[in-house]
Amino acid sequence: MADTLTGPAPAQPGTHAARLEHVSKAFGRPGAAQPVLEDITLDVAPGEFVCLLGASGCGKSTLLNLVAGLDKPSVGTIETPGGRPALMFQEHALFPWLTAGRNIELALRMRGVPREQRRPEAERLLSLVRLSGAYGKRVHELSGGMRQRVALARALAQDSRLLLMDEPFAALDAITRDVLHDELTRIWAETNLSVLFVTHNVREAVRLAQRVVLLSSRPGRINREWAIDIPQPRRIEDAAVADLSVEITDELRGEIRRHGKH
Ligand SMILES: Nc1ncnc2c1ncn2[C@@H]1O[C@H](COP(=O)(O)OP(=O)(O)OP(=O)(O)O)[C@@H](O)[C@H]1O
Ligand SMILES: [Mg+2]
């Protein structure tokens, strides 16, 4: 591919893909504001894969939206020196009136990729997510797993150095999710992207991440971190993945018990 498609240079070693310093977020009117996140300090290194794990409602999506620049922290600072991060949600959010290929080309157009380069680049991205041949398919012709592959290709079309993922595989069946875990691990290794991946699924976090960061609830704070040195590619049923998942689940259960509900 032409150099124009390689996008911003990767951050220099030793710098960060994202840096959050003492970030707090509250919603509501001043005086009656509800704190959702409190004093979050977190670095994501270039090329690092970090999973943010926490109970439903603890503020994971809020945190991701702040890193994406969709909202501003009430307190604290967020830096993403590689430019605007790419974002992928649980819902694919593809335009149903466009084909898979056109959805990707739209992202390329927004990035300023010249018209004649868009089609070949969309085809390359579809092949990266193993969907060669789906260029002309409309969204309703694709399975849930295929839609998330297109959504991933579209996120990659933004050519950001940082990919933010908010429970992107939560609505898929276990087998499809397993396959997409493999694909994401492969693409991450091939592209050297930094990934900040939000989930409430402990196994998924241990399957994917180099580091798991556990958030507490009400307000969300960083509770504990685990560095995961189990070699990739991992399988969700690996004994080492299962063992660590039990330890993290115990911690998460204790956290949920302390805050009642759920
Ligand atoms: N724009 C908003 N205005 C007011 N409150 C909000 C807003 N966005 C989120 N909240 C509140 O912040 C809290 C955290 O929400 P958030 O969606 O970040 O949680 P989550 O960890 O992503 O949950 P889930 O796992 O269910 O997706 C919730 O109590 C939610 O009601
Ligand atoms: Mg959420």
Side-chain angles (χ1 to χ4, degrees):
M1 269 298 114
D3 281 341
T4 49
L5 297 182
T6 54
Q12 295 303 307
T15 65
H16 47 274
R19 169 164 290 171
L20 290 79
E21 285 188 299
H22 305 293
V23 168
S24 297
K25 178 70 181 173
F27 289 110
R29 276 176 289 118
Q34 289 293 318
V36 171
L37 295 168
E38 198 167 86
D39 200 19
I40 307 274
T41 293
L42 176 72
D43 267 14
V44 179
E48 191 180 22
F49 198 130
V50 176
C51 271
L52 210 55
L53 183 69
S56 183
C58 77
K60 303 182 295 297
S61 297
T62 302
L63 187 58
L64 221 58
N65 288 343
L66 294 176
V67 179
L70 299 176
D71 199 357
K72 294 214 169 344
S74 309
V75 178
T77 56
I78 299 181
E79 292 170 17
T80 52
R84 199 179 178 83
L87 189 54
M88 183 177 163
F89 303 99
Q90 181 173 338
E91 293 299 325
H92 56 76
L94 298 170
F95 294 118
W97 58 89
L98 296 178
T99 62
R102 293 283 184 197
N103 266 285
I104 297 166
E105 285 181 20
L106 189 60
L108 294 170
R109 195 175 100 191
M110 311 265 278
R111 207 183 94 205
V113 174
R115 180 188 291 267
E116 65 281 5
Q117 293 177 23
R118 285 181 216 149
R119 169 110 195 206
E121 179 62 357
E123 305 259 21
R124 185 187 73 80
L125 289 164
L126 281 169
S127 116
L128 184 65
V129 298
R130 297 203 211 265
L131 266 189
S132 304
Y135 181 91
K137 291 261 194 308
R138 283 185 196 276
V139 174
H140 72 268
E141 297 177 275
L142 304 171
S143 69
M146 290 162 91
R147 289 174 195 179
Q148 288 309 79
R149 284 174 192 260
V150 177
L152 177 56
R154 187 184 54 178
L156 295 171
Q158 295 175 44
D159 209 24
S160 304
R161 298 310 308 152
L162 175 62
L163 176 59
L164 307 174
M165 306 183 88
D166 193 352
E167 311 212 37
F169 309 137
L172 303 176
D173 66 82
I175 304 283
T176 307
R177 188 161 57 231
D178 200 39
V179 171
L180 281 165
H181 286 160
D182 291 346
E183 302 289 19
L184 178 59
T185 306
R186 173 182 59 82
I187 289 166
W188 166 66
E190 281 177 21
T191 55
N192 199 33
L193 273 171
S194 311
V195 182
L196 184 56
F197 186 108
V198 156
T199 182
H200 57 251
N201 182 329
V202 179
R203 283 263 190 147
E204 176 170 65
V206 177
R207 157 71 186 84
L208 291 171
Q210 293 176 302
R211 186 152 58 99
V212 172
V213 176
L214 180 63
L215 285 185
S216 66
S217 302
R218 295 161 220 269
R221 290 196 193 94
I222 292 184
N223 178 304
R224 216 180 130 180
E225 290 192 12
W226 288 262
I228 318 258
D229 54 8
I230 306 165
Q232 292 280 17
R234 301 169 195 156
R235 304 231 49 91
I236 206 134
E237 60 275 5
D238 284 346
V241 171
D243 288 350
L244 185 54
S245 298
V246 169
E247 181 188 326
I248 297 178
T249 302
D250 284 347
E251 189 84 22
L252 183 58
R253 281 219 186 101
E255 177 54 37
I256 290 170
R257 233 179 281 123
R258 274 192 288 283
H259 293 275
K261 293 253 199 131
H262 308 286

PDB file of all heavy atoms in Angstrom, residues 220-255:
ATOM      1  N   GLY A 220     -16.422   4.224  40.077  1.00  0.00           N
ATOM      2  CA  GLY A 220     -15.397   3.353  39.514  1.00  0.00           C
ATOM      3  C   GLY A 220     -13.999   3.866  39.840  1.00  0.00           C
ATOM      4  O   GLY A 220     -13.676   5.015  39.567  1.00  0.00           O
ATOM      5  N   ARG A 221     -13.243   3.003  40.485  1.00  0.00           N
ATOM      6  CA  ARG A 221     -11.830   3.312  40.772  1.00  0.00           C
ATOM      7  C   ARG A 221     -11.012   2.109  40.342  1.00  0.00           C
ATOM      8  O   ARG A 221     -11.546   1.007  40.263  1.00  0.00           O
ATOM      9  CB  ARG A 221     -11.595   3.457  42.285  1.00  0.00           C
ATOM     10  CG  ARG A 221     -12.194   4.649  42.919  1.00  0.00           C
ATOM     11  CD  ARG A 221     -11.546   4.859  44.293  1.00  0.00           C
ATOM     12  NE  ARG A 221     -12.316   5.812  45.059  1.00  0.00           N
ATOM     13  CZ  ARG A 221     -13.272   5.478  45.933  1.00  0.00           C
ATOM     14  NH1 ARG A 221     -13.539   4.209  46.164  1.00  0.00           N
ATOM     15  NH2 ARG A 221     -13.938   6.418  46.570  1.00  0.00           N
ATOM     16  N   ILE A 222      -9.711   2.306  40.140  1.00  0.00           N
ATOM     17  CA  ILE A 222      -8.884   1.138  39.831  1.00  0.00           C
ATOM     18  C   ILE A 222      -8.666   0.366  41.121  1.00  0.00           C
ATOM     19  O   ILE A 222      -8.170   0.891  42.116  1.00  0.00           O
ATOM     20  CB  ILE A 222      -7.557   1.542  39.175  1.00  0.00           C
ATOM     21  CG1 ILE A 222      -7.862   2.116  37.790  1.00  0.00           C
ATOM     22  CG2 ILE A 222      -6.627   0.320  39.062  1.00  0.00           C
ATOM     23  CD1 ILE A 222      -6.672   2.485  36.972  1.00  0.00           C
ATOM     24  N   ASN A 223      -9.106  -0.898  41.090  1.00  0.00           N
ATOM     25  CA  ASN A 223      -9.081  -1.729  42.281  1.00  0.00           C
ATOM     26  C   ASN A 223      -7.783  -2.538  42.324  1.00  0.00           C
ATOM     27  O   ASN A 223      -7.087  -2.577  43.335  1.00  0.00           O
ATOM     28  CB  ASN A 223     -10.320  -2.627  42.217  1.00  0.00           C
ATOM     29  CG  ASN A 223     -10.442  -3.583  43.333  1.00  0.00           C
ATOM     30  OD1 ASN A 223      -9.525  -4.365  43.562  1.00  0.00           O
ATOM     31  ND2 ASN A 223     -11.551  -3.544  44.053  1.00  0.00           N
ATOM     32  N   ARG A 224      -7.467  -3.175  41.179  1.00  0.00           N
ATOM     33  CA  ARG A 224      -6.282  -4.024  41.130  1.00  0.00           C
ATOM     34  C   ARG A 224      -5.893  -4.272  39.691  1.00  0.00           C
ATOM     35  O   ARG A 224      -6.741  -4.158  38.794  1.00  0.00           O
ATOM     36  CB  ARG A 224      -6.610  -5.365  41.792  1.00  0.00           C
ATOM     37  CG  ARG A 224      -5.448  -5.937  42.567  1.00  0.00           C
ATOM     38  CD  ARG A 224      -5.799  -7.247  43.214  1.00  0.00           C
ATOM     39  NE  ARG A 224      -4.765  -8.214  42.876  1.00  0.00           N
ATOM     40  CZ  ARG A 224      -4.769  -9.469  43.298  1.00  0.00           C
ATOM     41  NH1 ARG A 224      -5.748  -9.912  44.048  1.00  0.00           N
ATOM     42  NH2 ARG A 224      -3.788 -10.286  42.955  1.00  0.00           N
ATOM     43  N   GLU A 225      -4.627  -4.619  39.459  1.00  0.00           N
ATOM     44  CA  GLU A 225      -4.165  -4.936  38.104  1.00  0.00           C
ATOM     45  C   GLU A 225      -3.453  -6.276  38.099  1.00  0.00           C
ATOM     46  O   GLU A 225      -2.804  -6.627  39.090  1.00  0.00           O
ATOM     47  CB  GLU A 225      -3.136  -3.906  37.630  1.00  0.00           C
ATOM     48  CG  GLU A 225      -3.684  -2.557  37.350  1.00  0.00           C
ATOM     49  CD  GLU A 225      -2.670  -1.689  36.603  1.00  0.00           C
ATOM     50  OE1 GLU A 225      -1.635  -2.224  36.107  1.00  0.00           O
ATOM     51  OE2 GLU A 225      -2.909  -0.490  36.514  1.00  0.00           O
ATOM     52  N   TRP A 226      -3.555  -6.981  37.007  1.00  0.00           N
ATOM     53  CA  TRP A 226      -2.810  -8.228  36.817  1.00  0.00           C
ATOM     54  C   TRP A 226      -2.035  -8.142  35.500  1.00  0.00           C
ATOM     55  O   TRP A 226      -2.640  -7.835  34.453  1.00  0.00           O
ATOM     56  CB  TRP A 226      -3.747  -9.431  36.710  1.00  0.00           C
ATOM     57  CG  TRP A 226      -4.407  -9.846  37.975  1.00  0.00           C
ATOM     58  CD1 TRP A 226      -4.006 -10.855  38.821  1.00  0.00           C
ATOM     59  CD2 TRP A 226      -5.612  -9.317  38.545  1.00  0.00           C
ATOM     60  NE1 TRP A 226      -4.880 -10.968  39.869  1.00  0.00           N
ATOM     61  CE2 TRP A 226      -5.874 -10.031  39.731  1.00  0.00           C
ATOM     62  CE3 TRP A 226      -6.483  -8.296  38.188  1.00  0.00           C
ATOM     63  CZ2 TRP A 226      -6.969  -9.771  40.538  1.00  0.00           C
ATOM     64  CZ3 TRP A 226      -7.578  -8.020  38.987  1.00  0.00           C
ATOM     65  CH2 TRP A 226      -7.811  -8.751  40.145  1.00  0.00           C
ATOM     66  N   ALA A 227      -0.748  -8.423  35.533  1.00  0.00           N
ATOM     67  CA  ALA A 227       0.020  -8.597  34.296  1.00  0.00           C
ATOM     68  C   ALA A 227      -0.166 -10.054  33.886  1.00  0.00           C
ATOM     69  O   ALA A 227      -0.035 -10.953  34.715  1.00  0.00           O
ATOM     70  CB  ALA A 227       1.485  -8.297  34.555  1.00  0.00           C
ATOM     71  N   ILE A 228      -0.503 -10.284  32.622  1.00  0.00           N
ATOM     72  CA  ILE A 228      -0.793 -11.645  32.154  1.00  0.00           C
ATOM     73  C   ILE A 228       0.348 -12.078  31.246  1.00  0.00           C
ATOM     74  O   ILE A 228       0.466 -11.551  30.124  1.00  0.00           O
ATOM     75  CB  ILE A 228      -2.125 -11.697  31.369  1.00  0.00           C
ATOM     76  CG1 ILE A 228      -3.158 -10.847  32.068  1.00  0.00           C
ATOM     77  CG2 ILE A 228      -2.554 -13.143  31.126  1.00  0.00           C
ATOM     78  CD1 ILE A 228      -4.162 -11.504  32.866  1.00  0.00           C
ATOM     79  N   ASP A 229       1.163 -13.017  31.711  1.00  0.00           N
ATOM     80  CA  ASP A 229       2.295 -13.418  30.870  1.00  0.00           C
ATOM     81  C   ASP A 229       2.090 -14.798  30.247  1.00  0.00           C
ATOM     82  O   ASP A 229       3.042 -15.420  29.790  1.00  0.00           O
ATOM     83  CB  ASP A 229       3.608 -13.338  31.663  1.00  0.00           C
ATOM     84  CG  ASP A 229       3.521 -14.142  32.949  1.00  0.00           C
ATOM     85  OD1 ASP A 229       2.515 -14.871  33.123  1.00  0.00           O
ATOM     86  OD2 ASP A 229       4.441 -14.033  33.783  1.00  0.00           O
ATOM     87  N   ILE A 230       0.856 -15.281  30.210  1.00  0.00           N
ATOM     88  CA  ILE A 230       0.556 -16.543  29.532  1.00  0.00           C
ATOM     89  C   ILE A 230       0.804 -16.310  28.037  1.00  0.00           C
ATOM     90  O   ILE A 230       0.289 -15.344  27.476  1.00  0.00           O
ATOM     91  CB  ILE A 230      -0.919 -16.958  29.763  1.00  0.00           C
ATOM     92  CG1 ILE A 230      -1.230 -16.997  31.255  1.00  0.00           C
ATOM     93  CG2 ILE A 230      -1.227 -18.281  29.084  1.00  0.00           C
ATOM     94  CD1 ILE A 230      -2.728 -17.027  31.569  1.00  0.00           C
ATOM     95  N   PRO A 231       1.639 -17.180  27.388  1.00  0.00           N
ATOM     96  CA  PRO A 231       1.967 -16.886  25.990  1.00  0.00           C
ATOM     97  C   PRO A 231       0.750 -16.924  25.073  1.00  0.00           C
ATOM     98  O   PRO A 231      -0.165 -17.721  25.279  1.00  0.00           O
ATOM     99  CB  PRO A 231       2.974 -17.980  25.603  1.00  0.00           C
ATOM    100  CG  PRO A 231       3.121 -18.882  26.777  1.00  0.00           C
ATOM    101  CD  PRO A 231       2.289 -18.388  27.897  1.00  0.00           C
ATOM    102  N   GLN A 232       0.753 -16.049  24.055  1.00  0.00           N
ATOM    103  CA  GLN A 232      -0.269 -16.059  23.003  1.00  0.00           C
ATOM    104  C   GLN A 232       0.227 -16.973  21.878  1.00  0.00           C
ATOM    105  O   GLN A 232       1.424 -17.071  21.679  1.00  0.00           O
ATOM    106  CB  GLN A 232      -0.490 -14.643  22.446  1.00  0.00           C
ATOM    107  CG  GLN A 232      -1.131 -13.691  23.416  1.00  0.00           C
ATOM    108  CD  GLN A 232      -2.655 -13.860  23.506  1.00  0.00           C
ATOM    109  OE1 GLN A 232      -3.205 -14.872  23.081  1.00  0.00           O
ATOM    110  NE2 GLN A 232      -3.309 -12.884  24.110  1.00  0.00           N
ATOM    111  N   PRO A 233      -0.614 -17.613  21.091  1.00  0.00           N
ATOM    112  CA  PRO A 233      -2.057 -17.547  21.228  1.00  0.00           C
ATOM    113  C   PRO A 233      -2.550 -18.408  22.376  1.00  0.00           C
ATOM    114  O   PRO A 233      -2.091 -19.539  22.555  1.00  0.00           O
ATOM    115  CB  PRO A 233      -2.566 -18.081  19.887  1.00  0.00           C
ATOM    116  CG  PRO A 233      -1.454 -18.933  19.353  1.00  0.00           C
ATOM    117  CD  PRO A 233      -0.183 -18.394  19.923  1.00  0.00           C
ATOM    118  N   ARG A 234      -3.460 -17.837  23.160  1.00  0.00           N
ATOM    119  CA  ARG A 234      -4.069 -18.581  24.272  1.00  0.00           C
ATOM    120  C   ARG A 234      -5.405 -19.142  23.811  1.00  0.00           C
ATOM    121  O   ARG A 234      -5.986 -18.645  22.861  1.00  0.00           O
ATOM    122  CB  ARG A 234      -4.351 -17.633  25.432  1.00  0.00           C
ATOM    123  CG  ARG A 234      -3.127 -16.938  25.940  1.00  0.00           C
ATOM    124  CD  ARG A 234      -3.499 -15.813  26.904  1.00  0.00           C
ATOM    125  NE  ARG A 234      -2.361 -14.943  27.103  1.00  0.00           N
ATOM    126  CZ  ARG A 234      -2.427 -13.691  27.483  1.00  0.00           C
ATOM    127  NH1 ARG A 234      -3.605 -13.120  27.719  1.00  0.00           N
ATOM    128  NH2 ARG A 234      -1.341 -12.976  27.637  1.00  0.00           N
ATOM    129  N   ARG A 235      -5.870 -20.120  24.562  1.00  0.00           N
ATOM    130  CA  ARG A 235      -7.240 -20.605  24.335  1.00  0.00           C
ATOM    131  C   ARG A 235      -8.029 -20.309  25.603  1.00  0.00           C
ATOM    132  O   ARG A 235      -7.483 -20.332  26.706  1.00  0.00           O
ATOM    133  CB  ARG A 235      -7.251 -22.114  24.048  1.00  0.00           C
ATOM    134  CG  ARG A 235      -6.365 -22.509  22.889  1.00  0.00           C
ATOM    135  CD  ARG A 235      -7.092 -23.367  21.888  1.00  0.00           C
ATOM    136  NE  ARG A 235      -8.374 -22.831  21.481  1.00  0.00           N
ATOM    137  CZ  ARG A 235      -8.552 -22.029  20.429  1.00  0.00           C
ATOM    138  NH1 ARG A 235      -7.552 -21.653  19.686  1.00  0.00           N
ATOM    139  NH2 ARG A 235      -9.757 -21.613  20.140  1.00  0.00           N
ATOM    140  N   ILE A 236      -9.310 -20.034  25.416  1.00  0.00           N
ATOM    141  CA  ILE A 236     -10.133 -19.658  26.560  1.00  0.00           C
ATOM    142  C   ILE A 236     -10.212 -20.810  27.565  1.00  0.00           C
ATOM    143  O   ILE A 236     -10.391 -20.601  28.760  1.00  0.00           O
ATOM    144  CB  ILE A 236     -11.526 -19.172  26.100  1.00  0.00           C
ATOM    145  CG1 ILE A 236     -12.126 -18.223  27.120  1.00  0.00           C
ATOM    146  CG2 ILE A 236     -12.458 -20.322  25.744  1.00  0.00           C
ATOM    147  CD1 ILE A 236     -12.715 -16.986  26.555  1.00  0.00           C
ATOM    148  N   GLU A 237     -10.011 -22.070  27.075  1.00  0.00           N
ATOM    149  CA  GLU A 237     -10.101 -23.229  27.973  1.00  0.00           C
ATOM    150  C   GLU A 237      -8.734 -23.639  28.539  1.00  0.00           C
ATOM    151  O   GLU A 237      -8.654 -24.616  29.283  1.00  0.00           O
ATOM    152  CB  GLU A 237     -10.779 -24.411  27.266  1.00  0.00           C
ATOM    153  CG  GLU A 237     -10.106 -24.940  26.027  1.00  0.00           C
ATOM    154  CD  GLU A 237     -10.487 -24.166  24.754  1.00  0.00           C
ATOM    155  OE1 GLU A 237     -11.213 -23.156  24.866  1.00  0.00           O
ATOM    156  OE2 GLU A 237     -10.030 -24.542  23.671  1.00  0.00           O
ATOM    157  N   ASP A 238      -7.660 -22.896  28.227  1.00  0.00           N
ATOM    158  CA  ASP A 238      -6.346 -23.217  28.796  1.00  0.00           C
ATOM    159  C   ASP A 238      -6.414 -23.209  30.324  1.00  0.00           C
ATOM    160  O   ASP A 238      -7.071 -22.340  30.912  1.00  0.00           O
ATOM    161  CB  ASP A 238      -5.296 -22.174  28.378  1.00  0.00           C
ATOM    162  CG  ASP A 238      -4.849 -22.350  26.935  1.00  0.00           C
ATOM    163  OD1 ASP A 238      -5.142 -23.416  26.358  1.00  0.00           O
ATOM    164  OD2 ASP A 238      -4.237 -21.409  26.397  1.00  0.00           O
ATOM    165  N   ALA A 239      -5.667 -24.165  30.936  1.00  0.00           N
ATOM    166  CA  ALA A 239      -5.693 -24.249  32.402  1.00  0.00           C
ATOM    167  C   ALA A 239      -5.196 -22.944  33.040  1.00  0.00           C
ATOM    168  O   ALA A 239      -5.768 -22.461  34.029  1.00  0.00           O
ATOM    169  CB  ALA A 239      -4.841 -25.422  32.859  1.00  0.00           C
ATOM    170  N   ALA A 240      -4.149 -22.363  32.459  1.00  0.00           N
ATOM    171  CA  ALA A 240      -3.590 -21.135  33.042  1.00  0.00           C
ATOM    172  C   ALA A 240      -4.604 -19.983  32.964  1.00  0.00           C
ATOM    173  O   ALA A 240      -4.716 -19.172  33.889  1.00  0.00           O
ATOM    174  CB  ALA A 240      -2.299 -20.756  32.321  1.00  0.00           C
ATOM    175  N   VAL A 241      -5.348 -19.938  31.842  1.00  0.00           N
ATOM    176  CA  VAL A 241      -6.380 -18.899  31.684  1.00  0.00           C
ATOM    177  C   VAL A 241      -7.486 -19.129  32.717  1.00  0.00           C
ATOM    178  O   VAL A 241      -7.941 -18.190  33.382  1.00  0.00           O
ATOM    179  CB  VAL A 241      -6.959 -18.916  30.235  1.00  0.00           C
ATOM    180  CG1 VAL A 241      -8.170 -17.997  30.115  1.00  0.00           C
ATOM    181  CG2 VAL A 241      -5.879 -18.520  29.221  1.00  0.00           C
ATOM    182  N   ALA A 242      -7.886 -20.401  32.867  1.00  0.00           N
ATOM    183  CA  ALA A 242      -8.960 -20.728  33.820  1.00  0.00           C
ATOM    184  C   ALA A 242      -8.535 -20.381  35.249  1.00  0.00           C
ATOM    185  O   ALA A 242      -9.315 -19.793  36.005  1.00  0.00           O
ATOM    186  CB  ALA A 242      -9.314 -22.208  33.702  1.00  0.00           C
ATOM    187  N   ASP A 243      -7.301 -20.745  35.621  1.00  0.00           N
ATOM    188  CA  ASP A 243      -6.839 -20.522  36.999  1.00  0.00           C
ATOM    189  C   ASP A 243      -6.841 -19.034  37.351  1.00  0.00           C
ATOM    190  O   ASP A 243      -7.340 -18.629  38.402  1.00  0.00           O
ATOM    191  CB  ASP A 243      -5.420 -21.072  37.189  1.00  0.00           C
ATOM    192  CG  ASP A 243      -5.414 -22.597  37.192  1.00  0.00           C
ATOM    193  OD1 ASP A 243      -6.520 -23.190  37.244  1.00  0.00           O
ATOM    194  OD2 ASP A 243      -4.317 -23.186  37.122  1.00  0.00           O
ATOM    195  N   LEU A 244      -6.275 -18.251  36.458  1.00  0.00           N
ATOM    196  CA  LEU A 244      -6.213 -16.818  36.740  1.00  0.00           C
ATOM    197  C   LEU A 244      -7.625 -16.213  36.735  1.00  0.00           C
ATOM    198  O   LEU A 244      -7.930 -15.309  37.527  1.00  0.00           O
ATOM    199  CB  LEU A 244      -5.308 -16.114  35.721  1.00  0.00           C
ATOM    200  CG  LEU A 244      -5.062 -14.637  35.985  1.00  0.00           C
ATOM    201  CD1 LEU A 244      -4.518 -14.404  37.397  1.00  0.00           C
ATOM    202  CD2 LEU A 244      -4.093 -14.056  34.964  1.00  0.00           C
ATOM    203  N   SER A 245      -8.488 -16.743  35.862  1.00  0.00           N
ATOM    204  CA  SER A 245      -9.870 -16.238  35.810  1.00  0.00           C
ATOM    205  C   SER A 245     -10.579 -16.470  37.136  1.00  0.00           C
ATOM    206  O   SER A 245     -11.360 -15.618  37.589  1.00  0.00           O
ATOM    207  CB  SER A 245     -10.654 -16.905  34.682  1.00  0.00           C
ATOM    208  OG  SER A 245     -10.063 -16.604  33.441  1.00  0.00           O
ATOM    209  N   VAL A 246     -10.312 -17.610  37.763  1.00  0.00           N
ATOM    210  CA  VAL A 246     -10.937 -17.896  39.069  1.00  0.00           C
ATOM    211  C   VAL A 246     -10.489 -16.851  40.090  1.00  0.00           C
ATOM    212  O   VAL A 246     -11.303 -16.296  40.831  1.00  0.00           O
ATOM    213  CB  VAL A 246     -10.564 -19.323  39.542  1.00  0.00           C
ATOM    214  CG1 VAL A 246     -10.968 -19.535  40.987  1.00  0.00           C
ATOM    215  CG2 VAL A 246     -11.210 -20.370  38.638  1.00  0.00           C
ATOM    216  N   GLU A 247      -9.182 -16.563  40.088  1.00  0.00           N
ATOM    217  CA  GLU A 247      -8.657 -15.580  41.052  1.00  0.00           C
ATOM    218  C   GLU A 247      -9.292 -14.205  40.823  1.00  0.00           C
ATOM    219  O   GLU A 247      -9.735 -13.541  41.772  1.00  0.00           O
ATOM    220  CB  GLU A 247      -7.132 -15.498  40.868  1.00  0.00           C
ATOM    221  CG  GLU A 247      -6.468 -14.535  41.834  1.00  0.00           C
ATOM    222  CD  GLU A 247      -4.981 -14.328  41.514  1.00  0.00           C
ATOM    223  OE1 GLU A 247      -4.319 -15.285  41.044  1.00  0.00           O
ATOM    224  OE2 GLU A 247      -4.506 -13.201  41.726  1.00  0.00           O
ATOM    225  N   ILE A 248      -9.372 -13.799  39.562  1.00  0.00           N
ATOM    226  CA  ILE A 248      -9.913 -12.466  39.269  1.00  0.00           C
ATOM    227  C   ILE A 248     -11.421 -12.427  39.545  1.00  0.00           C
ATOM    228  O   ILE A 248     -11.950 -11.440  40.061  1.00  0.00           O
ATOM    229  CB  ILE A 248      -9.592 -12.053  37.812  1.00  0.00           C
ATOM    230  CG1 ILE A 248      -8.070 -11.961  37.624  1.00  0.00           C
ATOM    231  CG2 ILE A 248     -10.258 -10.723  37.465  1.00  0.00           C
ATOM    232  CD1 ILE A 248      -7.619 -11.606  36.221  1.00  0.00           C
ATOM    233  N   THR A 249     -12.115 -13.531  39.227  1.00  0.00           N
ATOM    234  CA  THR A 249     -13.560 -13.584  39.483  1.00  0.00           C
ATOM    235  C   THR A 249     -13.844 -13.448  40.977  1.00  0.00           C
ATOM    236  O   THR A 249     -14.794 -12.751  41.384  1.00  0.00           O
ATOM    237  CB  THR A 249     -14.165 -14.899  38.944  1.00  0.00           C
ATOM    238  OG1 THR A 249     -13.885 -14.972  37.556  1.00  0.00           O
ATOM    239  CG2 THR A 249     -15.669 -14.958  39.149  1.00  0.00           C
ATOM    240  N   ASP A 250     -13.023 -14.094  41.822  1.00  0.00           N
ATOM    241  CA  ASP A 250     -13.200 -13.970  43.277  1.00  0.00           C
ATOM    242  C   ASP A 250     -13.103 -12.515  43.705  1.00  0.00           C
ATOM    243  O   ASP A 250     -13.904 -12.030  44.513  1.00  0.00           O
ATOM    244  CB  ASP A 250     -12.139 -14.799  44.013  1.00  0.00           C
ATOM    245  CG  ASP A 250     -12.468 -16.279  43.968  1.00  0.00           C
ATOM    246  OD1 ASP A 250     -13.613 -16.614  43.592  1.00  0.00           O
ATOM    247  OD2 ASP A 250     -11.584 -17.104  44.289  1.00  0.00           O
ATOM    248  N   GLU A 251     -12.119 -11.835  43.150  1.00  0.00           N
ATOM    249  CA  GLU A 251     -11.917 -10.423  43.479  1.00  0.00           C
ATOM    250  C   GLU A 251     -13.117  -9.591  43.006  1.00  0.00           C
ATOM    251  O   GLU A 251     -13.623  -8.732  43.735  1.00  0.00           O
ATOM    252  CB  GLU A 251     -10.637  -9.958  42.769  1.00  0.00           C
ATOM    253  CG  GLU A 251     -10.169  -8.600  43.167  1.00  0.00           C
ATOM    254  CD  GLU A 251      -9.331  -8.596  44.446  1.00  0.00           C
ATOM    255  OE1 GLU A 251      -8.761  -9.648  44.795  1.00  0.00           O
ATOM    256  OE2 GLU A 251      -9.280  -7.527  45.081  1.00  0.00           O
ATOM    257  N   LEU A 252     -13.596  -9.895  41.793  1.00  0.00           N
ATOM    258  CA  LEU A 252     -14.737  -9.156  41.225  1.00  0.00           C
ATOM    259  C   LEU A 252     -16.000  -9.423  42.039  1.00  0.00           C
ATOM    260  O   LEU A 252     -16.773  -8.500  42.329  1.00  0.00           O
ATOM    261  CB  LEU A 252     -14.925  -9.573  39.767  1.00  0.00           C
ATOM    262  CG  LEU A 252     -16.018  -8.896  38.940  1.00  0.00           C
ATOM    263  CD1 LEU A 252     -15.810  -7.387  38.894  1.00  0.00           C
ATOM    264  CD2 LEU A 252     -16.024  -9.442  37.511  1.00  0.00           C
ATOM    265  N   ARG A 253     -16.193 -10.689  42.453  1.00  0.00           N
ATOM    266  CA  ARG A 253     -17.370 -11.034  43.270  1.00  0.00           C
ATOM    267  C   ARG A 253     -17.349 -10.271  44.584  1.00  0.00           C
ATOM    268  O   ARG A 253     -18.360  -9.737  45.021  1.00  0.00           O
ATOM    269  CB  ARG A 253     -17.359 -12.539  43.589  1.00  0.00           C
ATOM    270  CG  ARG A 253     -17.829 -13.371  42.446  1.00  0.00           C
ATOM    271  CD  ARG A 253     -18.693 -14.530  42.974  1.00  0.00           C
ATOM    272  NE  ARG A 253     -19.018 -15.413  41.877  1.00  0.00           N
ATOM    273  CZ  ARG A 253     -18.403 -16.567  41.637  1.00  0.00           C
ATOM    274  NH1 ARG A 253     -17.439 -16.993  42.453  1.00  0.00           N
ATOM    275  NH2 ARG A 253     -18.741 -17.304  40.616  1.00  0.00           N
ATOM    276  N   GLY A 254     -16.165 -10.233  45.215  1.00  0.00           N
ATOM    277  CA  GLY A 254     -16.021  -9.505  46.480  1.00  0.00           C
ATOM    278  C   GLY A 254     -16.378  -8.044  46.286  1.00  0.00           C
ATOM    279  O   GLY A 254     -17.080  -7.432  47.095  1.00  0.00           O
ATOM    280  N   GLU A 255     -15.933  -7.513  45.154  1.00  0.00           N
ATOM    281  CA  GLU A 255     -16.187  -6.109  44.822  1.00  0.00           C
ATOM    282  C   GLU A 255     -17.697  -5.862  44.665  1.00  0.00           C
ATOM    283  O   GLU A 255     -18.246  -4.908  45.199  1.00  0.00           O
ATOM    284  CB  GLU A 255     -15.428  -5.798  43.517  1.00  0.00           C
ATOM    285  CG  GLU A 255     -15.622  -4.423  42.976  1.00  0.00           C
ATOM    286  CD  GLU A 255     -15.311  -3.373  44.008  1.00  0.00           C
ATOM    287  OE1 GLU A 255     -14.369  -3.539  44.820  1.00  0.00           O
ATOM    288  OE2 GLU A 255     -16.065  -2.396  44.026  1.00  0.00           O
TER     289      GLU A 255
END
